Amino acid sequence: MRENPDYNDLYYQNTTVHSQIIDIVTARAVPLGEFPVPMEWEAFFGNPHPVEIEIGSGKGRFLLEASKRHPTVNYIGIERAQKYVVLTQERFEKHIRHFGVDRASGTFSNVRLAWTDANYFLTRYVPPASVQAYHIYFPDPWPKKRQRKRRIFRNQDFLSALTHTLKPNRGRLYIATDYEEYFQEIQERLADLSLLRPVEANCSPDQDIPTNFEMKYVLEGRNIYRSVYERCSS
Ligand SMILES: C[S@@+](CC[C@H](N)C(=O)[O-])C[C@H]1O[C@@H](n2cnc3c(N)ncnc32)[C@H](O)[C@@H]1O
């Protein structure tokens, strides 16, 4: 495992050159490089509320519903594909217009979109022991054998950052996928991490908020596999 990822390497240069943080309400986009390393959540959100991060937030369905449901939780959706970042912004915009949401009311002031690579963001910008929950729903399964090395749960830097940035004792990791073989692999890989333990009753309080992929797969009659992990105290 690389102890200190090299942020000058080609992979990061290619995937993070456009990295931005987007404020959903104001549509203001700020280059990620302008933020401190690591970030200071209280200064970033302007409040001391807990932070939850969705990795691969796609078209933003979960992000919108969860942030509306929990106004005293701060949410960051990390998405590296620009088209999904734009679709997420449009989703929020439509919702704000349709429901006549007053932009000054504070609604959605608890959401930011990070247009960047999740591994880059977690290893560099997320402070240790600072995240209340990670949500990773329908991570790309890369089904072809030669592409499996791209699976995010195979990246040791990512797994290390994921566990160390969760809050000890209470920090949770929520996972869902339709891909049984990848689900088994994720469970095997997470079992190797001494800082994480599976939670027995493995349901999320927000399990009733389906992501876009989940809605599609449920309609197709596919099984959905879920698990929840908790960070141990040390
Ligand atoms: C299969 S889609 C699932 C989207 C959404 N979670 C859902 O369930 O509808 C996986 C998403 O993760 C994003 N993604 C994959 N790897 C990523 C990474 N390293 N950093 C940020 N986003 C990533 C992809 O661009 C894609 O939008």
Side-chain angles (χ1 to χ4, degrees):
M1 181 175 82
R2 288 180 301 161
E3 284 298 326
N4 297 300
D6 177 3
Y7 297 108
N8 293 320
D9 77 21
L10 203 58
Y11 173 77
Y12 284 113
Q13 281 173 23
N14 287 338
T15 55
T16 60
V17 69
H18 301 295
S19 293
Q20 290 178 355
I21 297 288
I22 301 160
D23 183 321
I24 287 291
V25 179
T26 62
R28 189 166 172 255
V30 178
L32 187 55
E34 293 186 14
F35 290 91
V37 176
M39 284 188 168
E40 295 151 14
W41 293 142
E42 195 164 336
F44 181 72
F45 283 104
N47 65 55
H49 298 157
V51 173
E52 302 203 2
I53 297 180
E54 185 183 8
I55 294 175
S57 47
K59 296 180 185 173
R61 193 177 190 284
F62 176 82
L63 201 60
L64 189 152
E65 297 300 330
S67 60
K68 196 170 61 166
R69 181 181 286 182
H70 306 290
T72 57
V73 174
N74 293 320
Y75 286 90
I76 301 176
I78 310 177
E79 177 51 61
R80 74 174 171 200
Q82 183 182 20
K83 69 174 179 180
Y84 289 130
V85 170
V86 171
L87 284 172
T88 299
Q89 286 184 279
E90 287 172 359
R91 174 187 294 277
F92 274 90
E93 202 50 47
K94 264 189 211 155
H95 184 95
I96 287 170
R97 292 217 182 120
H98 183 79
F99 292 99
V101 173
D102 175 4
R103 288 176 200 268
S105 67
T107 307
F108 299 134
S109 62
N110 59 333
V111 193
R112 299 290 185 282
L113 263 180
W115 173 23
T116 191
D117 176 85
N119 185 34
Y120 179 69
F121 191 76
L122 264 64
T123 50
R124 189 166 166 83
Y125 285 95
V126 180
S130 72
V131 176
Q132 169 168 281
Y134 281 108
H135 304 268
I136 309 184
Y137 301 133
F138 304 88
D140 290 325
W142 296 108
K144 289 183 185 152
K145 204 168 179 184
R146 64 186 152 79
Q147 294 181 333
R148 285 190 193 150
K149 57 179 181 284
R150 298 183 188 168
R151 288 177 171 179
I152 200 161
F153 282 94
R154 286 196 181 185
N155 184 320
Q156 292 301 320
D157 292 334
F158 173 77
L159 291 179
S160 174
L162 192 70
T163 48
H164 286 92
T165 53
L166 272 176
K167 284 187 174 171
N169 285 323
R170 290 165 297 152
R172 287 197 162 190
L173 165 61
Y174 298 103
I175 299 165
T177 178
D178 62 305
Y179 207 86
E180 187 178 8
E181 182 267 326
Y182 190 23
F183 183 64
Q184 278 163 5
E185 177 180 337
I186 292 170
Q187 288 182 302
E188 282 163 21
R189 291 187 182 271
L190 297 186
D192 289 341
L193 303 177
S194 57
L195 277 182
L196 283 188
R197 61 170 169 245
V199 174
E200 288 303 321
N202 71 355
C203 66
S204 152
D206 297 319
Q207 197 175 301
D208 59 321
I209 303 177
T211 68
N212 278 88
F213 269 75
E214 182 170 350
M215 287 172 76
K216 186 174 131 194
Y217 291 152
V218 166
L219 277 177
E220 289 173 9
R222 296 199 207 179
N223 279 337
I224 307 295
Y225 305 93
R226 296 178 191 282
S227 56
V228 183
Y229 290 81
E230 202 165 59
R231 182 175 162 177
C232 310
S233 51
S234 56

